[in-house]
Amino acid sequence: YTLKLLAAEFGPLMTSEEVARVLKFPTVPALRAALRRKRLALSPMDMPGRKQHLFATEEVAHCVDSCQRKALYPDDAGDESLGKETAM
């Protein structure tokens, strides 16, 4: 469901600005800091000729869904990193 909504609005790829807005980061540098600290299970894609990073919308949707599950079911949260899951 989340993927369908995000894909309809952003298409298959999202910019750092779009990801920051969807994940409610106050700024793009705050998003980048979270990525550097491995707090998000997102991998930016480098595209030749592009200065900014792009993210797969499907991966962003998975991160949103994972965070929502952790908020609703904290006992089943697994890894404390946003969007990351541990094998049980």
Side-chain angles (χ1 to χ4, degrees):
Y1 180 72
T2 305
L3 175 58
K4 199 175 205 179
L5 291 174
L6 291 178
E9 184 168 348
F10 301 108
L13 299 174
M14 297 175 69
T15 65
S16 296
E17 290 81 10
E18 293 166 339
V19 174
R21 190 175 64 218
V22 166
L23 296 180
K24 305 293 186 188
F25 279 92
T27 62
V28 171
L31 169 67
R32 289 189 186 127
L35 290 168
R36 270 193 316 274
R37 294 178 184 132
K38 308 262 188 242
R39 299 293 298 159
L40 294 171
L42 293 176
S43 301
M45 300 185 305
D46 288 321
M47 306 235 359
R50 304 269 314 179
K51 286 186 179 181
Q52 68 178 193
H53 294 290
L54 297 173
F55 297 84
T57 303
E58 183 174 357
E59 189 175 17
V60 175
H62 176 72
C63 183
V64 170
D65 288 341
S66 178
C67 292
Q68 185 177 22
R69 265 193 317 278
K70 289 175 186 177
L72 294 173
Y73 310 105
D75 293 337
D76 297 332
D79 188 353
E80 63 186 44
S81 298
L82 297 177
K84 291 185 178 180
E85 297 180 71
T86 57
M88 291 190 184

Coordinates of all heavy atoms in Angstrom, one line a residue:
Y1 N 0.8 -1.2 0.0 CA 0.0 0.0 0.0 C 0.9 1.3 0.0 O 0.6 2.2 -0.8 CB -0.9 0.0 1.2 CG -1.8 1.2 1.3 CD1 -2.9 1.3 0.4 CD2 -1.6 2.1 2.3 CE1 -3.7 2.4 0.5 CE2 -2.5 3.2 2.3 CZ -3.5 3.4 1.4 OH -4.3 4.5 1.5
T2 N 1.9 1.3 0.9 CA 2.8 2.4 0.9 C 3.5 2.6 -0.4 O 3.6 3.7 -0.9 CB 3.8 2.3 2.1 OG1 3.1 2.1 3.3 CG2 4.7 3.5 2.2
L3 N 4.0 1.5 -1.0 CA 4.7 1.6 -2.3 C 3.8 2.2 -3.3 O 4.2 3.1 -4.1 CB 5.2 0.2 -2.7 CG 5.8 0.1 -4.1 CD1 7.0 1.1 -4.2 CD2 6.2 -1.3 -4.4
K4 N 2.5 1.8 -3.4 CA 1.6 2.3 -4.4 C 1.4 3.8 -4.2 O 1.4 4.5 -5.2 CB 0.3 1.6 -4.2 CG -0.7 1.6 -5.3 CD -1.9 0.7 -5.0 CE -2.5 0.3 -6.3 NZ -3.7 -0.6 -6.1
L5 N 1.3 4.3 -3.0 CA 1.1 5.7 -2.8 C 2.4 6.5 -3.2 O 2.3 7.5 -3.9 CB 0.8 6.0 -1.3 CG -0.6 5.5 -0.8 CD1 -0.7 5.7 0.7 CD2 -1.7 6.3 -1.5
L6 N 3.5 6.0 -2.7 CA 4.8 6.7 -3.0 C 5.1 6.7 -4.5 O 5.5 7.7 -5.1 CB 5.9 6.1 -2.2 CG 5.9 6.4 -0.7 CD1 7.1 5.7 -0.1 CD2 5.9 7.9 -0.4
A7 N 4.9 5.5 -5.2 CA 5.1 5.4 -6.6 C 4.2 6.3 -7.4 O 4.7 6.9 -8.4 CB 5.0 3.9 -7.0
A8 N 3.0 6.4 -7.0 CA 2.1 7.3 -7.7 C 2.5 8.8 -7.6 O 2.3 9.5 -8.6 CB 0.6 7.2 -7.1
E9 N 3.1 9.2 -6.5 CA 3.5 10.6 -6.3 C 4.9 10.8 -6.9 O 5.1 11.9 -7.5 CB 3.4 11.0 -4.9 CG 3.8 12.4 -4.6 CD 3.5 12.9 -3.3 OE1 2.8 12.2 -2.5 OE2 3.9 14.0 -3.0
F10 N 5.8 9.9 -6.7 CA 7.2 10.2 -7.0 C 7.8 9.4 -8.2 O 8.9 9.6 -8.6 CB 8.1 9.9 -5.8 CG 7.7 10.8 -4.6 CD1 7.1 10.2 -3.5 CD2 8.0 12.1 -4.6 CE1 6.7 11.0 -2.4 CE2 7.6 12.9 -3.5 CZ 7.0 12.3 -2.4
G11 N 7.1 8.3 -8.6 CA 7.7 7.4 -9.6 C 8.6 6.4 -9.0 O 8.7 6.2 -7.8
P12 N 9.5 5.8 -9.8 CA 10.3 4.7 -9.4 C 11.5 5.2 -8.5 O 12.1 4.4 -7.8 CB 10.8 4.0 -10.6 CG 10.7 5.1 -11.7 CD 9.5 5.9 -11.3
L13 N 11.9 6.4 -8.7 CA 13.1 7.0 -8.0 C 12.7 8.2 -7.2 O 11.8 9.0 -7.7 CB 14.2 7.3 -8.9 CG 14.8 6.1 -9.7 CD1 15.8 6.6 -10.8 CD2 15.4 5.1 -8.8
M14 N 13.3 8.4 -6.1 CA 13.1 9.6 -5.2 C 14.4 10.3 -5.0 O 15.4 9.7 -4.8 CB 12.5 9.2 -3.9 CG 11.1 8.6 -4.0 SD 10.4 7.9 -2.5 CE 10.1 9.5 -1.6
T15 N 14.3 11.7 -4.9 CA 15.5 12.5 -4.6 C 15.7 12.5 -3.1 O 14.8 12.1 -2.3 CB 15.3 13.9 -5.1 OG1 14.3 14.5 -4.4 CG2 15.1 14.0 -6.6
S16 N 16.8 13.0 -2.7 CA 17.1 13.1 -1.2 C 16.1 14.1 -0.6 O 15.6 13.8 0.5 CB 18.5 13.7 -1.0 OG 19.5 12.8 -1.5
E17 N 15.7 15.1 -1.3 CA 14.7 16.1 -0.7 C 13.4 15.4 -0.5 O 12.7 15.6 0.5 CB 14.6 17.3 -1.7 CG 15.8 18.2 -1.7 CD 16.9 17.7 -2.6 OE1 16.7 16.7 -3.4 OE2 18.0 18.3 -2.6
E18 N 13.0 14.6 -1.5 CA 11.7 13.9 -1.4 C 11.7 12.8 -0.2 O 10.8 12.7 0.5 CB 11.4 13.2 -2.7 CG 11.1 14.2 -3.8 CD 11.0 13.6 -5.2 OE1 11.6 12.5 -5.4 OE2 10.4 14.2 -6.1
V19 N 12.8 12.1 -0.1 CA 13.0 11.1 0.9 C 13.0 11.8 2.3 O 12.3 11.3 3.2 CB 14.2 10.2 0.8 CG1 14.4 9.3 2.0 CG2 14.2 9.4 -0.5
A20 N 13.7 12.9 2.4 CA 13.7 13.6 3.7 C 12.3 14.1 4.1 O 11.9 14.0 5.2 CB 14.7 14.8 3.6
R21 N 11.6 14.6 3.1 CA 10.2 15.0 3.4 C 9.3 13.9 3.8 O 8.6 14.0 4.8 CB 9.6 15.7 2.2 CG 8.3 16.4 2.5 CD 7.8 17.2 1.3 NE 7.5 16.3 0.2 CZ 7.8 16.6 -1.1 NH1 8.3 17.7 -1.5 NH2 7.5 15.7 -2.0
V22 N 9.4 12.7 3.1 CA 8.5 11.6 3.4 C 8.8 11.0 4.8 O 8.0 10.6 5.6 CB 8.6 10.5 2.3 CG1 8.0 9.2 2.8 CG2 8.0 10.9 1.0
L23 N 10.1 11.0 5.1 CA 10.6 10.4 6.4 C 10.6 11.4 7.5 O 11.0 11.1 8.6 CB 11.9 9.7 6.3 CG 12.0 8.5 5.3 CD1 13.4 8.0 5.3 CD2 11.0 7.5 5.7
K24 N 10.1 12.6 7.2 CA 10.0 13.7 8.2 C 11.3 14.2 8.8 O 11.3 14.6 10.0 CB 9.0 13.3 9.3 CG 7.6 12.8 8.9 CD 6.9 14.0 8.3 CE 5.5 13.6 7.9 NZ 4.7 14.5 7.2
F25 N 12.3 14.2 8.0 CA 13.6 14.8 8.5 C 13.5 16.3 8.3 O 12.9 16.7 7.2 CB 14.8 14.2 7.7 CG 15.2 12.9 8.2 CD1 14.7 11.7 7.7 CD2 16.2 12.8 9.2 CE1 15.1 10.5 8.1 CE2 16.6 11.5 9.7 CZ 16.1 10.4 9.2
P26 N 14.0 17.1 9.2 CA 13.9 18.5 9.0 C 14.7 19.1 7.8 O 14.3 20.1 7.2 CB 14.4 19.1 10.3 CG 15.3 18.0 10.9 CD 14.7 16.7 10.4
T27 N 15.8 18.4 7.5 CA 16.6 18.9 6.4 C 17.2 17.7 5.7 O 17.3 16.6 6.2 CB 17.8 19.8 6.9 OG1 18.6 19.0 7.7 CG2 17.2 21.0 7.6
V28 N 17.8 17.9 4.5 CA 18.5 16.8 3.8 C 19.8 16.5 4.5 O 20.1 15.3 4.6 CB 18.8 17.2 2.3 CG1 19.7 16.3 1.6 CG2 17.4 17.3 1.5
P29 N 20.5 17.5 5.1 CA 21.7 17.1 5.8 C 21.4 16.2 7.0 O 22.1 15.3 7.4 CB 22.3 18.4 6.3 CG 21.9 19.4 5.2 CD 20.5 18.9 4.8
A30 N 20.2 16.3 7.6 CA 19.8 15.4 8.7 C 19.6 14.0 8.2 O 19.9 13.0 8.8 CB 18.5 16.0 9.4
L31 N 19.0 13.9 7.0 CA 18.8 12.6 6.4 C 20.2 12.0 6.1 O 20.4 10.8 6.4 CB 18.0 12.7 5.1 CG 18.0 11.5 4.2 CD1 17.2 10.4 4.8 CD2 17.4 11.8 2.8
R32 N 21.1 12.8 5.5 CA 22.4 12.2 5.2 C 23.1 11.8 6.5 O 23.9 10.8 6.5 CB 23.2 13.3 4.5 CG 22.7 13.5 3.1 CD 23.7 14.4 2.3 NE 23.1 14.7 1.0 CZ 22.9 15.9 0.5 NH1 23.3 17.0 1.2 NH2 22.4 16.1 -0.7
A33 N 23.0 12.5 7.6 CA 23.6 12.1 8.9 C 23.1 10.8 9.3 O 23.8 9.9 9.8 CB 23.4 13.2 9.9
A34 N 21.7 10.6 9.2 CA 21.1 9.3 9.6 C 21.7 8.2 8.7 O 21.9 7.1 9.2 CB 19.6 9.4 9.5
L35 N 21.9 8.4 7.4 CA 22.4 7.4 6.5 C 23.9 7.1 6.9 O 24.2 5.9 6.9 CB 22.3 7.9 5.1 CG 20.9 8.0 4.5 CD1 21.0 8.8 3.2 CD2 20.3 6.6 4.3
R36 N 24.7 8.1 7.2 CA 26.1 7.9 7.6 C 26.2 7.1 8.9 O 27.0 6.2 9.0 CB 26.8 9.2 7.8 CG 27.5 9.8 6.6 CD 28.4 10.9 6.9 NE 27.9 11.9 7.9 CZ 27.1 12.9 7.6 NH1 26.8 13.2 6.4 NH2 26.7 13.7 8.6
R37 N 25.2 7.3 9.8 CA 25.2 6.6 11.1 C 24.5 5.2 11.0 O 24.3 4.6 12.0 CB 24.5 7.5 12.1 CG 25.3 8.7 12.4 CD 24.5 9.6 13.4 NE 25.2 10.8 13.6 CZ 24.7 12.0 13.6 NH1 23.4 12.1 13.4 NH2 25.4 13.1 13.8
K38 N 24.1 4.9 9.8 CA 23.5 3.6 9.5 C 22.2 3.4 10.3 O 21.8 2.4 10.8 CB 24.4 2.4 9.8 CG 25.8 2.5 9.2 CD 25.8 1.7 7.9 CE 27.2 1.7 7.4 NZ 27.4 2.2 6.1
R39 N 21.4 4.5 10.5 CA 20.2 4.5 11.2 C 19.0 4.2 10.2 O 17.9 4.0 10.7 CB 19.9 5.9 11.9 CG 21.0 6.3 12.9 CD 21.0 5.4 14.1 NE 19.7 5.5 14.8 CZ 19.2 4.6 15.6 NH1 19.9 3.5 15.9 NH2 18.0 4.8 16.2
L40 N 19.3 4.2 9.0 CA 18.2 3.9 8.0 C 18.7 2.8 7.0 O 19.9 2.8 6.7 CB 17.9 5.1 7.1 CG 17.3 6.3 7.8 CD1 17.2 7.5 6.9 CD2 15.9 5.9 8.2
A41 N 17.9 1.9 6.7 CA 18.2 0.8 5.8 C 17.9 1.3 4.3 O 17.1 0.7 3.6 CB 17.4 -0.4 6.1
L42 N 18.5 2.4 3.9 CA 18.4 2.9 2.6 C 19.8 3.0 1.9 O 20.7 3.4 2.6 CB 17.8 4.3 2.6 CG 16.3 4.4 3.1 CD1 15.9 5.8 3.1 CD2 15.4 3.6 2.2
S43 N 19.8 2.7 0.7 CA 21.1 2.8 -0.1 C 20.9 3.8 -1.2 O 20.2 3.5 -2.2 CB 21.5 1.5 -0.6 OG 21.7 0.5 0.4
P44 N 21.6 4.9 -1.2 CA 21.4 5.9 -2.3 C 22.1 5.3 -3.5 O 23.1 4.6 -3.4 CB 22.2 7.1 -1.8 CG 23.0 6.7 -0.7 CD 22.4 5.5 -0.1
M45 N 21.6 5.6 -4.7 CA 22.2 5.1 -5.9 C 22.9 6.3 -6.6 O 22.4 7.4 -6.7 CB 21.0 4.7 -6.9 CG 20.2 3.5 -6.3 SD 19.0 2.9 -7.5 CE 18.1 4.3 -7.9
D46 N 24.1 6.1 -7.0 CA 24.8 7.1 -7.8 C 24.5 6.9 -9.2 O 24.6 5.8 -9.7 CB 26.4 6.9 -7.6 CG 26.8 7.4 -6.2 OD1 26.2 8.4 -5.7 OD2 27.6 6.7 -5.6
M47 N 24.1 7.9 -9.9 CA 23.8 7.9 -11.3 C 24.8 8.7 -12.0 O 25.0 9.9 -11.6 CB 22.4 8.3 -11.6 CG 21.4 7.6 -10.7 SD 20.0 6.7 -11.4 CE 20.0 6.9 -13.1
P48 N 25.4 8.2 -13.1 CA 26.4 9.0 -13.9 C 25.8 10.3 -14.3 O 24.6 10.4 -14.8 CB 26.7 8.1 -15.0 CG 26.4 6.8 -14.6 CD 25.2 6.9 -13.7
G49 N 26.5 11.4 -14.1 CA 26.0 12.7 -14.6 C 25.1 13.4 -13.7 O 24.6 14.5 -14.0
R50 N 24.8 12.8 -12.5 CA 23.9 13.4 -11.5 C 24.6 13.7 -10.3 O 25.4 12.9 -9.8 CB 22.7 12.4 -11.2 CG 21.9 11.9 -12.3 CD 20.7 12.7 -12.6 NE 20.0 13.0 -11.5 CZ 18.9 13.8 -11.5 NH1 18.5 14.2 -12.7 NH2 18.3 14.1 -10.4
K51 N 24.4 14.9 -9.8 CA 25.1 15.3 -8.5 C 24.4 14.8 -7.3 O 25.1 14.4 -6.3 CB 25.2 16.9 -8.4 CG 26.2 17.5 -9.4 CD 26.2 19.0 -9.1 CE 27.3 19.6 -10.0 NZ 27.4 21.0 -9.8
Q52 N 23.1 14.7 -7.3 CA 22.4 14.3 -6.1 C 22.2 12.8 -6.2 O 22.2 12.1 -7.2 CB 21.1 15.0 -6.0 CG 20.1 14.7 -7.0 CD 18.8 15.4 -6.8 OE1 17.8 15.1 -7.4 NE2 18.7 16.4 -6.0
H53 N 22.0 12.2 -5.0 CA 21.7 10.8 -4.9 C 20.2 10.5 -5.1 O 19.4 11.4 -4.8 CB 22.0 10.2 -3.5 CG 23.5 10.3 -3.2 ND1 24.4 9.5 -3.9 CD2 24.2 11.0 -2.4 CE1 25.6 9.7 -3.4 NE2 25.5 10.7 -2.5
L54 N 19.9 9.4 -5.7 CA 18.5 9.0 -5.9 C 18.3 7.7 -5.1 O 19.2 6.9 -4.8 CB 18.2 8.7 -7.3 CG 18.4 9.9 -8.2 CD1 18.2 9.5 -9.7 CD2 17.3 11.0 -7.9
F55 N 17.1 7.5 -4.7 CA 16.7 6.3 -3.9 C 15.6 5.6 -4.6 O 14.7 6.2 -5.2 CB 16.2 6.7 -2.5 CG 17.2 7.4 -1.7 CD1 17.5 8.7 -1.8 CD2 18.0 6.7 -0.7 CE1 18.4 9.4 -1.0 CE2 18.9 7.3 0.0 CZ 19.2 8.7 -0.1
A56 N 15.6 4.2 -4.5 CA 14.5 3.5 -5.1 C 13.2 3.7 -4.2 O 13.3 3.5 -3.0 CB 14.9 2.0 -5.1
T57 N 12.2 4.0 -4.9 CA 10.9 4.3 -4.2 C 10.5 3.0 -3.4 O 10.0 3.1 -2.3 CB 9.8 4.7 -5.1 OG1 10.3 5.9 -5.8 CG2 8.5 5.0 -4.4
E58 N 10.7 1.9 -4.0 CA 10.3 0.6 -3.3 C 11.1 0.5 -2.0 O 10.5 0.0 -1.0 CB 10.6 -0.6 -4.2 CG 10.2 -1.9 -3.6 CD 10.4 -3.1 -4.6 OE1 10.8 -2.8 -5.8 OE2 10.1 -4.2 -4.2
E59 N 12.4 0.8 -1.9 CA 13.2 0.7 -0.7 C 12.7 1.7 0.3 O 12.6 1.4 1.5 CB 14.6 1.0 -1.1 CG 15.6 0.7 0.0 CD 17.0 0.8 -0.4 OE1 17.3 1.5 -1.4 OE2 17.9 0.3 0.4
V60 N 12.3 2.9 -0.1 CA 11.8 3.9 0.8 C 10.5 3.5 1.4 O 10.3 3.6 2.6 CB 11.6 5.3 0.1 CG1 11.0 6.3 1.1 CG2 13.0 5.8 -0.4
A61 N 9.6 2.9 0.6 CA 8.3 2.4 1.1 C 8.6 1.3 2.1 O 7.9 1.2 3.1 CB 7.5 1.8 -0.1
H62 N 9.5 0.4 1.9 CA 9.8 -0.7 2.8 C 10.3 -0.1 4.1 O 9.9 -0.5 5.2 CB 10.9 -1.6 2.2 CG 11.3 -2.7 3.2 ND1 10.6 -3.7 3.5 CD2 12.5 -2.8 3.9 CE1 11.2 -4.5 4.4 NE2 12.4 -3.9 4.7
C63 N 11.1 0.9 4.1 CA 11.6 1.6 5.3 C 10.4 2.2 6.1 O 10.3 2.1 7.3 CB 12.6 2.7 4.9 SG 13.4 3.5 6.3
V64 N 9.5 2.9 5.4 CA 8.3 3.5 6.0 C 7.5 2.4 6.7 O 7.1 2.5 7.8 CB 7.5 4.3 5.0 CG1 6.1 4.7 5.6 CG2 8.3 5.5 4.5
D65 N 7.2 1.3 6.0 CA 6.4 0.2 6.5 C 7.1 -0.4 7.7 O 6.4 -0.7 8.7 CB 6.2 -0.9 5.4 CG 5.2 -0.4 4.3 OD1 4.5 0.5 4.6 OD2 5.3 -1.1 3.3
S66 N 8.4 -0.6 7.7 CA 9.1 -1.2 8.8 C 9.0 -0.3 10.0 O 8.8 -0.7 11.1 CB 10.6 -1.4 8.4 OG 11.3 -1.9 9.5
C67 N 9.2 1.0 9.8 CA 9.1 2.0 10.9 C 7.7 2.0 11.5 O 7.6 2.0 12.8 CB 9.5 3.4 10.5 SG 11.2 3.6 10.0
Q68 N 6.7 1.9 10.7 CA 5.3 1.9 11.2 C 5.1 0.6 12.0 O 4.5 0.7 13.0 CB 4.4 1.9 10.0 CG 2.9 2.0 10.4 CD 2.0 2.2 9.2 OE1 2.3 1.8 8.1 NE2 0.8 2.7 9.5
R69 N 5.6 -0.5 11.5 CA 5.4 -1.8 12.2 C 6.1 -1.7 13.6 O 5.5 -2.1 14.6 CB 6.0 -3.0 11.5 CG 5.1 -3.7 10.6 CD 5.7 -5.1 10.1 NE 7.0 -5.0 9.7 CZ 7.4 -4.6 8.5 NH1 6.5 -4.2 7.6 NH2 8.7 -4.6 8.1
K70 N 7.3 -1.1 13.7 CA 8.0 -1.0 14.9 C 7.2 -0.1 15.9 O 7.2 -0.3 17.1 CB 9.4 -0.5 14.7 CG 10.3 -1.5 14.1 CD 11.6 -1.0 13.7 CE 12.4 -2.0 13.0 NZ 13.7 -1.6 12.6
A71 N 6.6 1.0 15.4 CA 5.8 1.9 16.2 C 4.5 1.2 16.8 O 4.2 1.4 17.9 CB 5.4 3.1 15.4
L72 N 3.9 0.4 15.9 CA 2.7 -0.3 16.3 C 3.0 -1.6 17.2 O 2.2 -1.9 18.1 CB 1.9 -0.7 15.1 CG 1.3 0.4 14.3 CD1 0.7 -0.1 13.0 CD2 0.3 1.2 15.1
Y73 N 4.1 -2.2 16.9 CA 4.4 -3.5 17.6 C 5.8 -3.4 18.2 O 6.7 -4.1 17.7 CB 4.3 -4.7 16.7 CG 2.9 -4.7 16.0 CD1 2.9 -4.4 14.6 CD2 1.8 -5.1 16.7 CE1 1.6 -4.4 14.0 CE2 0.6 -5.1 16.0 CZ 0.5 -4.7 14.7 OH -0.7 -4.7 14.0
P74 N 6.1 -2.6 19.2 CA 7.5 -2.4 19.7 C 8.2 -3.6 20.2 O 9.4 -3.8 20.1 CB 7.3 -1.3 20.8 CG 5.9 -1.3 21.1 CD 5.1 -1.8 19.9
D75 N 7.4 -4.6 20.7 CA 8.0 -5.9 21.2 C 8.6 -6.7 20.1 O 9.5 -7.5 20.3 CB 7.0 -6.7 22.0 CG 6.6 -6.0 23.3 OD1 7.3 -5.1 23.8 OD2 5.5 -6.3 23.8
D76 N 8.1 -6.5 18.9 CA 8.6 -7.2 17.7 C 9.6 -6.4 16.9 O 9.8 -6.7 15.7 CB 7.5 -7.7 16.8 CG 6.6 -8.7 17.6 OD1 7.0 -9.4 18.5 OD2 5.4 -8.7 17.2
A77 N 10.2 -5.3 17.4 CA 10.9 -4.4 16.7 C 12.2 -4.9 16.1 O 12.7 -4.5 15.1 CB 11.2 -3.1 17.5
G78 N 12.9 -5.9 16.8 CA 14.1 -6.4 16.3 C 15.2 -5.3 16.4 O 15.4 -4.7 17.5
D79 N 15.9 -5.0 15.4 CA 17.0 -4.0 15.4 C 16.4 -2.6 15.6 O 15.4 -2.3 15.1 CB 17.7 -4.1 14.0 CG 19.0 -3.2 14.0 OD1 19.2 -2.5 15.0 OD2 19.7 -3.3 13.0
E80 N 17.1 -1.8 16.4 CA 16.6 -0.5 16.7 C 16.8 0.5 15.6 O 16.2 1.6 15.6 CB 17.2 0.0 18.0 CG 18.7 0.2 17.9 CD 19.3 0.6 19.3 OE1 19.0 0.1 20.3 OE2 20.1 1.5 19.2
S81 N 17.5 0.2 14.6 CA 17.7 1.1 13.5 C 16.4 1.2 12.6 O 15.8 0.2 12.4 CB 18.8 0.5 12.6 OG 20.0 0.5 13.3
L82 N 16.1 2.4 12.2 CA 14.9 2.6 11.4 C 15.0 1.9 10.1 O 16.0 2.0 9.4 CB 14.8 4.1 11.2 CG 14.5 4.9 12.4 CD1 14.4 6.4 12.0 CD2 13.3 4.5 13.1
G83 N 14.0 1.1 9.8 CA 13.9 0.4 8.5 C 14.7 -0.8 8.4 O 14.7 -1.5 7.4
K84 N 15.4 -1.2 9.5 CA 16.3 -2.4 9.5 C 15.5 -3.5 10.2 O 14.9 -3.2 11.2 CB 17.6 -2.2 10.1 CG 18.5 -1.3 9.3 CD 19.9 -1.2 9.9 CE 20.8 -0.4 9.1 NZ 22.1 -0.3 9.7
E85 N 15.7 -4.7 9.8 CA 15.1 -5.8 10.5 C 16.2 -6.9 10.8 O 17.1 -7.0 10.0 CB 14.0 -6.5 9.7 CG 12.8 -5.5 9.4 CD 11.8 -6.1 8.6 OE1 11.1 -7.0 9.1 OE2 11.6 -5.7 7.4
T86 N 16.0 -7.6 11.9 CA 17.0 -8.6 12.2 C 16.3 -10.0 12.0 O 15.1 -10.1 12.1 CB 17.5 -8.6 13.6 OG1 16.3 -8.6 14.5 CG2 18.2 -7.3 13.9
A87 N 17.1 -11.0 11.6 CA 16.6 -12.3 11.4 C 16.4 -13.0 12.7 O 17.2 -12.8 13.6 CB 17.6 -13.1 10.6
M88 N 15.3 -13.7 12.9 CA 15.0 -14.3 14.1 C 15.0 -15.8 13.9 O 14.8 -16.4 13.0 CB 13.6 -13.9 14.6 CG 13.6 -12.5 15.0 SD 12.0 -12.2 15.9 CE 12.2 -10.5 16.2

